[in-house]
Structures are given as structure tokens and as C-alpha cells.
Amino acid sequence: MTHVAAQNPARPQADSSKALYGGKGTRRITVRDIAAAKERGEKWPMLTAYDAMTASVFDQAGIPVLLVGDSAGNCHLGYESTVPVTLDEMIMLSSAVVRGTSRSLIVGDLPFGSYQEGPTQALRSATRLVKEAGVTAVKLEGGERSAHQIELLVQAGIPVMAHIGLTPQSVNAFGGYPVQGRGEEAAQQLRRDAKAVQDAGAFAVVLELVPAELAAEVTTALHVPTVGIGAGSGCDAQVLVWTDMAGMTDGRMPKFVRQYAALRESLGDAAKAFADDVVGGAYPAEEHSFH
Ligand code: KIV
């Protein structure tokens, strides 16, 4: 942004105090702030969160948008996939994240089975997430196939983040988690999906596991921001599942993940050090005791 302004002195400098990440704002981020960031050409980060304490760490770190993803199924609740997650579980996790935060915009995921019947079911489920958990926005999966649901929620005053490309709730239909949008026919479908959710009123679109070139093209074509996960660097925003980002997840990581900490190892080491102290009599020490 600064680079462009330097080339064209007539263009006003972007006001960095308004930046979604690193800006000076202390009130909760709104969907209007998200739209303004796209106008400014600003990139921003999003993380998942599933509990109040972790969410408060990310809120204080300045992460502008937190997604209470149904990835909670795999990362928090011990399920094999996102498919079994229920709306009641999403409400419980989302309300904890809302309570733990004061600045981040909180997006609650509509779980599998809570919106596929049609717009009326989607509105009933989204209304519960907004009223009972206090989220600002909801996310649902699907492009053209979910456009009517998005339209009704937006008409009702509920901001919607769409999610296209690889949609994990359809893992059984996909037979796994393959990259989407490869080949001309699949790329055309992705373009149609992106246009459909924007036209339906979505304020942002997650692009999951999409070739980088296609994601960049869609990002340029849309006036709402794209949030990439495994979709290259051309998206407006990037999201990671927090347990992947912080090295808490066990097992092999997807190719698109960069780990910024080794929390699983640190936590395991802390647990072992505590256990060794208890067994060896080194904890509690005198300073931990009452007399
Ligand atoms: O549930 C989730 O965490 C998600 C993100 C990976 C986008 O949908």
C-alpha cells in the first residue's frame, strides 16, 4: 500500500491506525471493517478458537477474526471429522469464545445437518448461534448449493462467511480431502460458486484447498474478501486451525500448514516435569505450602 502511494502522490496514504491487525482500534471488529480492509488492499489473519482462554490469547495478540470452526470436531471434541458436530456443541463452544474476547469478530460455524434442509432451517440454526452464543456472524459450506440459505440469513440481518472449494462436511462424498478446482470444468464451478455466494450477500468467502492461481483470480474478481486455507498467497486473508498453527495437533500436517510453535512438545514436557517433581517429592516445596 505504501509502495503504491509513493508512486502516486495524489493517492491518499492508507491510515494504518485502522488496520485490522496492528491497528489502534479497541472496539469489536465489524463486517464493515472487513469490507474497508478489502478496499484498502489489506491482508489479515484469522485463526480458529474453541474455548475462552485460548480465544483470549488470540484476541490480545490482535487477531481480528476468530472462527469457532466445526474443526472443533477433530481438534477439540475427539471426533474423526467435522460431520458428528452438533449445533448445541457449536453454541457451547462459540459462547465461550465470545466471553473470552473483546475485539475479535467472532464467526460461528453452522455444523453439518443444521442448514442443508433449506433456508428456513438455516435461519433457525443461525438465529440460535447469534442469540444464544453471541457470535457476530456465521459460516456455512457450499457455493451455488447454499446461495438461498445465505440470502435469507443476510436478509434477516445475520452476516455470513461462505466456504467453498474443499468443504470438509462433505468428506464422505469427496472420499477424503482432495484439492478442488483443478481442471477447467472444476475451475469454472469454483468461479460460479464464488460469484453465487457474493451475489447472495456473503461478507467474505473461505477458499479451501484451491490452486493458488485460481484463488488469486477469484480474489481479484470479487469485491468481498477471500480467506485462504491451502489456497496460496493471493487471497485477502489467511486462516489456520489454531492447533495446527501452534504445533498442538498430533500426526502429519497438511502441506499448507506452517507451525509457529511446538506446543504439543512443550505441554508434554511440562506435564512430565510436574509428574517427576510429584513422584520425587520436589513439589510442592515450602513456598507452595500454607502454615
Ligand atoms: O472449521 C474450520 O476450522 C474451518 C476452517 C478450516 C476454515 O472451516
Side-chain angles (χ1 to χ4, degrees):
M1 208 64 206
T2 317
H3 179 64
V4 174
Q7 284 178 333
N8 177 6
R11 186 171 172 166
Q13 292 271 352
D15 182 355
S16 64
S17 68
K18 289 190 178 149
L20 289 186
Y21 175 71
K24 294 205 168 64
T26 50
R27 60 157 176 77
R28 206 177 275 281
I29 305 279
T30 69
V31 292
R32 285 180 63 183
D33 299 321
I34 302 290
K38 173 96 184 186
E39 292 260 304
R40 293 193 295 268
E42 185 184 309
K43 290 191 180 243
W44 47 274
M46 174 165 115
L47 283 172
T48 65
Y50 316 114
D51 67 277
M53 199 179 290
T54 315
S56 76
V57 173
F58 299 152
D59 189 60
Q60 285 164 28
I63 303 298
V65 186
L66 294 179
L67 168 67
V68 189
D70 61 357
S71 51
N74 325 51
C75 305
H76 193 71
L77 297 170
Y79 298 134
E80 289 275 311
S81 74
T82 62
V83 174
V85 177
T86 67
L87 183 58
D88 284 337
E89 286 168 335
M90 289 310 301
I91 289 170
M92 192 265 284
L93 302 177
S94 301
S95 41
V97 168
V98 170
R99 284 193 294 272
T101 56
S102 60
R103 180 176 180 265
S104 309
L105 187 161
I106 310 301
V107 182
D109 234 348
L110 286 174
F112 181 62
S114 72
Y115 61 93
Q116 282 85 354
E117 280 175 30
T120 310
Q121 189 206 19
L123 181 56
R124 200 179 314 120
S125 302
T127 302
R128 284 196 65 202
L129 260 179
V130 171
K131 288 183 79 141
E132 295 176 40
V135 300
T136 298
V138 301
K139 179 171 81 57
L140 54 77
E141 295 184 3
E144 286 182 318
R145 69 180 158 96
S146 297
H148 291 308
Q149 280 91 328
I150 296 172
E151 231 163 55
L152 186 61
L153 300 196
V154 172
Q155 272 170 25
I158 300 174
V160 178
M161 179 177 278
H163 183 159
I164 62 174
L166 189 281
T167 46
Q169 292 174 8
S170 305
V171 57
N172 294 323
F174 285 132
Y177 299 97
V179 173
Q180 300 295 299
R182 280 190 170 143
E184 200 35 47
E185 207 176 306
Q188 284 296 5
Q189 183 60 55
L190 191 97
R191 291 183 188 104
R192 283 198 299 275
D193 283 338
K195 177 85 170 43
V197 297
Q198 173 175 272
D199 290 350
F203 76 93
V205 187
V206 171
L207 301 180
E208 180 162 356
L209 281 183
V210 172
E213 300 74 18
L214 180 59
E217 178 202 315
V218 167
T219 301
T220 307
L222 294 187
H223 59 75
V224 297
T226 57
V227 185
I229 175 160
S233 62
C235 296
D236 297 295
Q238 297 290 331
V239 57
L240 282 178
V241 166
W242 89 259
T243 52
D244 294 347
M245 180 279 298
M248 183 71 175
T249 310
D250 200 12
R252 260 188 86 223
M253 278 301 98
K255 173 183 159 80
F256 59 80
V257 172
R258 180 181 285 170
Q259 293 187 303
Y260 290 85
L263 271 200
R264 190 173 186 86
E265 203 183 323
S266 304
L267 206 52
D269 287 349
K272 282 186 207 151
F274 165 68
D276 288 347
D277 278 1
V278 170
V279 171
Y283 178 82
E286 184 53 30
E287 70 262 31
H288 305 119
S289 304
F290 301 96
H291 296 289

